[in-house]
């Protein structure tokens, strides 16, 4: 039998640093095909293109935040099964991140200038939640995914009607987020008490207002 490797604090620091750099500065590849791969591109007016780009930049930031949150939670998770659940969800969020980045390039736009800040804040929040215990950590997953579902619904309603490529991406993302929330609930998520959900929603609204333009 081969003994399991014991990771030192330095190993863990280097792993988390690599994850952060790949998420914020790199272009991590998706494992699944882009949902819009077979959807024809339609020419948008300039105001439609700018609006679609603003919405997709918000969604790209949301995936940056999801990566930070999940990696922060996984870093301090006490149970190996919980850690595995968080890292599996993070991989699907990597798919979302890649798809949103692809769509931003197609719309001749760019990610948010504040992505390092969004990631760092989310990682810290994830680690703090995880330190309270796995049940609370999973509760943050459930609340986060429910709030993401709500804003994806809003974006699906306000996207330019002709922007079918963005719509295909967001539809698959919404289904994935619902599944992540359901898995976390089954894994023993605790319900977050007031005012935590309201504070999370307020921070999300501030992020969306900034990321739409910057």
């Amino acid at each position: 039998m081969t003994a399991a490797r014991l990771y030192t604090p330095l190993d863990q620091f280097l792993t988390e640093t690599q994850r952060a750099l790949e998420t914020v500065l790199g272009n991590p590849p998706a494992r699944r095909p882009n949902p819009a791969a077979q959807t024809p591109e339609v020419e948008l007016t300039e105001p439609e293109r700018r609006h679609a780009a603003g919405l997709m930049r918000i969604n790209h930031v949301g995936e940056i935040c999801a990566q930070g949150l999940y990696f922060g939670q996984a870093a301090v998770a006490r149970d190996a099964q919980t850690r595995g659940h968080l890292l599996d969800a993070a991989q699907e969020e990597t798919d979302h991140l890649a798809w949103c980045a692809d769509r931003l390039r197609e719309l001749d736009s760019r990610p948010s200038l504040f992505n390092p800040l969004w990631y760092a804040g989310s990682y810290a929040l994830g680690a703090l939640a995880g330190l309270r215990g796995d049940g609370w950590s999973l509760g943050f997953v459930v609340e986060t995914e429910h709030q993401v579902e709500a804003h994806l619904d809003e974006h699906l309603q306000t996207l330019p009607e002709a922007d079918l490529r963005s719509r295909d991406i967001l539809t698959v993302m919404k289904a994935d987020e619902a599944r992540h929330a359901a898995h976390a609930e089954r894994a023993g998520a605790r319900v977050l008490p007031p005012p935590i959900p309201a504070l999370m929603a307020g921070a999300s609204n501030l992020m969306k207002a900034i990321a739409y333009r910057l």
Side-chain angles (χ1 to χ4, degrees):
M1 294 180 61
T2 302
R5 178 181 175 184
L6 296 178
Y7 288 91
T8 67
L10 178 59
D11 290 330
Q12 295 172 340
F13 173 78
L14 293 175
T15 296
E16 297 306 315
T17 300
Q18 181 180 359
R19 285 172 172 166
L21 292 174
E22 288 176 348
T23 300
V24 176
L25 302 177
N27 187 23
R31 291 186 180 178
R32 292 177 291 169
N34 190 313
Q38 304 303 318
T39 305
E41 183 68 85
V42 176
E43 185 173 353
L44 303 174
T45 66
E46 184 58 22
E48 287 176 334
R49 186 196 64 78
R50 286 199 305 270
H51 180 57
L55 296 183
M56 294 308 292
R57 184 160 42 251
I58 289 173
N59 290 307
H60 187 267
V61 167
E63 300 310 321
I64 292 283
C65 292
Q67 295 283 288
L69 184 70
Y70 286 142
F71 287 145
Q73 290 172 300
V76 297
R78 300 170 188 175
D79 179 72
Q81 186 173 0
T82 299
R83 185 180 301 108
H85 167 85
L86 292 165
L87 293 177
D88 286 345
Q91 177 54 55
E92 288 199 343
E93 303 293 353
T94 300
D95 292 347
H96 301 172
L97 184 68
W99 299 341
C100 289
D102 287 345
R103 188 61 185 142
L104 279 171
R105 284 190 291 270
E106 291 171 357
L107 292 166
D108 296 323
S109 193
R110 51 156 181 76
S112 171
L113 299 175
F114 297 103
N115 276 346
L117 179 63
W118 304 133
Y119 184 92
S122 298
Y123 187 96
L125 178 61
L128 287 173
L131 288 172
R132 289 295 306 274
D134 288 356
W136 291 113
S137 184
L138 292 169
F140 267 86
V141 172
V142 172
E143 182 60 32
T144 298
E145 298 295 15
H146 285 333
Q147 292 192 15
V148 171
E149 279 187 80
H151 94 242
L152 288 174
D153 265 335
E154 177 186 340
H155 288 186
L156 285 167
Q157 294 171 16
T158 61
L159 270 172
E161 187 174 347
D163 188 5
L164 299 180
R165 289 178 67 83
S166 295
R167 193 175 302 278
D168 285 349
I169 292 170
L170 298 190
T171 298
V172 174
M173 286 172 56
K174 182 174 180 292
D176 287 346
E177 310 298 4
R179 181 161 36 78
H180 295 166
H183 286 177
E185 287 175 335
R186 289 196 295 270
R190 301 185 65 169
V191 177
L192 301 184
I196 294 176
L199 291 173
M200 292 172 66
S204 175
N205 288 334
L206 176 63
M207 176 274 289
K208 290 188 286 185
I210 295 172
Y212 183 81
R213 294 175 175 82
L214 300 173

